[in-house]
Amino acid sequence: MRADQAVETIQREMTTFARRARASAGRLHPELSLVSYTLLSHLEEQGGCRATDLAAHYALDKSTVSRQVAALERADLIERRPDPEDHRVQVLHLTAPGRRILAQVTENRQAAFRERLAGWPQEDLTRFAGYLERYNAWPGGESDDS
């Protein structure tokens, strides 16, 4: 396969992957979109952060993050707390219900991945994981649509 054909195949398959991920998010938890799941996961990993940090990390418009944050607050999945170092700043944190839903969705997502990858040899899994990490580590990757 020529390099340009390989790139076309990669682009097509990554697009298919993204579409399936969006579609499966609703099945894993009907009230939690893929974007919401991603934001909750980041908040858990970071132990909380500002909305502007979320926007910067995911290269999203601040208004997009603001809408997502408002919806997550209304659903009682996150809450705002004053930053201990600067009380003018609000830090977003998961609530207890947010932690429960995130854990449930994470478990469901991991089970789905394990099922889909069950027949893969360990060597292929390791190689695939490395390729994905390498692809996602590209410094310009946050700003593109792929």
Side-chain angles (χ1 to χ4, degrees), residues 65-141:
V65 171
S66 179
R67 284 191 301 275
Q68 290 290 327
V69 164
L72 292 170
E73 282 181 300
R74 281 192 304 275
D76 192 35
L77 301 179
I78 64 172
E79 64 186 0
R80 293 176 191 263
R81 296 184 203 153
D83 185 323
E85 296 174 17
D86 184 350
H87 292 299
R88 298 170 297 170
V89 175
Q90 296 289 305
V91 179
L92 304 170
H93 293 275
L94 292 176
T95 61
R99 283 190 194 344
R100 281 193 299 275
I101 286 176
L102 180 61
Q104 175 190 4
V105 173
T106 299
E107 184 178 317
N108 292 345
R109 288 175 61 84
Q110 289 173 348
F113 273 103
R114 279 193 295 276
E115 180 181 348
R116 185 152 192 145
L117 299 169
W120 288 39
Q122 179 62 45
E123 179 182 298
D124 288 352
L125 291 172
T126 301
R127 194 175 305 127
F128 186 48
Y131 290 152
L132 288 171
E133 286 175 336
R134 183 173 158 191
Y135 178 82
N136 287 323
W138 184 61

Side-chain angles (χ1 to χ4, degrees), residues 1-121:
M1 182 182 290
R2 292 187 338 255
D4 58 337
Q5 290 174 314
V7 169
E8 283 181 38
T9 300
I10 291 167
Q11 185 274 327
R12 182 182 63 246
E13 295 303 320
M14 296 287 283
T15 299
T16 300
F17 176 82
R19 285 185 186 134
R20 284 186 175 159
R22 282 190 294 272
S24 70
R27 290 191 302 274
L28 294 173
H29 196 285
E31 296 139 32
L32 202 61
S33 72
L34 182 59
V35 172
S36 296
Y37 173 78
T38 303
L39 297 180
L40 291 177
S41 295
H42 187 77
L43 289 175
E44 181 181 54
E45 289 169 11
Q46 298 300 309
C49 69
R50 299 172 304 159
T52 55
D53 297 332
L54 287 172
H57 181 76
Y58 291 107
L60 294 170
D61 186 77
K62 289 179 186 177
S63 65
T64 301
V65 171
S66 179
R67 284 191 301 275
Q68 290 290 327
V69 164
L72 292 170
E73 282 181 300
R74 281 192 304 275
D76 192 35
L77 301 179
I78 64 172
E79 64 186 0
R80 293 176 191 263
R81 296 184 203 153
D83 185 323
E85 296 174 17
D86 184 350
H87 292 299
R88 298 170 297 170
V89 175
Q90 296 289 305
V91 179
L92 304 170
H93 293 275
L94 292 176
T95 61
R99 283 190 194 344
R100 281 193 299 275
I101 286 176
L102 180 61
Q104 175 190 4
V105 173
T106 299
E107 184 178 317
N108 292 345
R109 288 175 61 84
Q110 289 173 348
F113 273 103
R114 279 193 295 276
E115 180 181 348
R116 185 152 192 145
L117 299 169
W120 288 39

